[in-house]
Amino acid sequence: MNTRNTIHHLGLIMDGNGRWGEAQGKGRISGYAQGAIALHNIIISAPLLGIRTIIAFAFSRDNWKRDVNEVETILSVITRFVRRSATVMIENGIRFRWIGETDKLPNSMLTTLNSTSEITKSGSKMTLCLCINYSARAEMAHAVKNAVLSPPISDKNLMSSVAKKLYWPEMPNIDLIIRTSGEKRLSDFCCWNSQYAKIHFTDTLWPDFSIEELSDIIKMYNSVSEDDSKIK
């Protein structure tokens, strides 16, 4: 009997790009370009695994603390990835969107992000959402602030009112979060939508993460879910 797929909404914390570059003897910056290739390969094949949504942590608000050249490289790689992947996303029915704060981001980057969101909006196979200049705490502060500025609401309706003010109010709850590179923390990633998410940590550095490893991880968690359902 085939195991039922229970993983449809996937969170990715794409860690280890800089370390990959250093391990290759090419410097930290080279790892980000390879990481973009890894993400491209994942999004093309993920729908075949039953994935309907990928929320990928591309650049956190804490990343501004890094070396200026590294920050500029990361933002440039993200912009090129989105621009060059637009046609492929359209051809494969993938909708693109992004969440995060616009402050500090270059205007050219914002233009690429927003235009790609517009031209891919009819994609229905899968949604790719990049978290850029993102912090889960900042998102929740933003949502609460905007919720309380609305007409008075009861405690009963507070949760739903806050949810409607998140960056992407319709974001589905995440089924599984995968963090690469061996680090075992969530690092301020999508707290509101991950309250029931399974969390998997792999030692693989992000540029080496493959669709084959993703498939194995999904099969493992589907098997666990199947066993749990039998116990119940």
Side-chain angles (χ1 to χ4, degrees), residues 141-153:
H142 162 90
V144 170
K145 177 182 177 181
N146 284 278
V148 298
L149 289 176
S150 302
I153 53 178

Side-chain angles (χ1 to χ4, degrees), residues 19-161:
R19 276 171 281 168
W20 184 93
E22 291 175 337
Q24 299 295 315
K26 300 177 181 179
R28 289 181 58 83
I29 286 177
S30 68
Y32 296 104
Q34 192 63 36
I37 294 173
L39 180 59
H40 176 87
N41 293 336
I42 292 294
I43 66 171
I44 297 305
S45 301
L48 300 176
L49 301 179
I51 301 300
R52 299 285 298 162
T53 313
I54 291 179
I55 303 100
F57 210 167
F59 187 83
S60 77
R61 291 184 69 84
D62 284 339
N63 287 155
W64 292 109
K65 301 173 185 176
R66 297 188 180 189
D67 176 78
V68 173
N69 290 333
E70 185 169 349
V71 168
E72 290 178 351
T73 296
I74 297 171
L75 296 180
S76 178
V77 167
I78 295 171
T79 303
R80 286 200 305 271
F81 165 80
V82 173
R83 184 170 59 246
R84 294 175 179 176
S85 299
T87 300
V88 173
M89 287 192 280
I90 292 171
E91 292 173 349
N92 287 272
I94 298 171
R95 181 181 182 182
F96 172 79
R97 64 183 308 148
W98 74 283
I99 58 174
E101 296 291 332
T102 59
D103 65 299
K104 295 187 179 181
L105 295 179
N107 289 333
S108 58
M109 182 181 196
L110 292 172
T111 297
T112 297
L113 296 175
N114 294 331
S115 63
T116 305
S117 296
E118 180 63 24
I119 64 176
T120 62
K121 65 182 181 181
S122 62
S124 58
K125 271 191 176 181
M126 190 184 79
T127 297
L128 169 66
C129 177
L130 293 186
C131 301
I132 304 169
N133 197 19
Y134 175 84
S135 157
R137 284 186 175 185
E139 179 180 24
M140 287 189 281
H142 162 90
V144 170
K145 177 182 177 181
N146 284 278
V148 298
L149 289 176
S150 302
I153 53 178
S154 65
D155 290 344
K156 180 179 179 181
N157 295 323
L158 180 59
M159 293 285 281
S160 61
S161 296

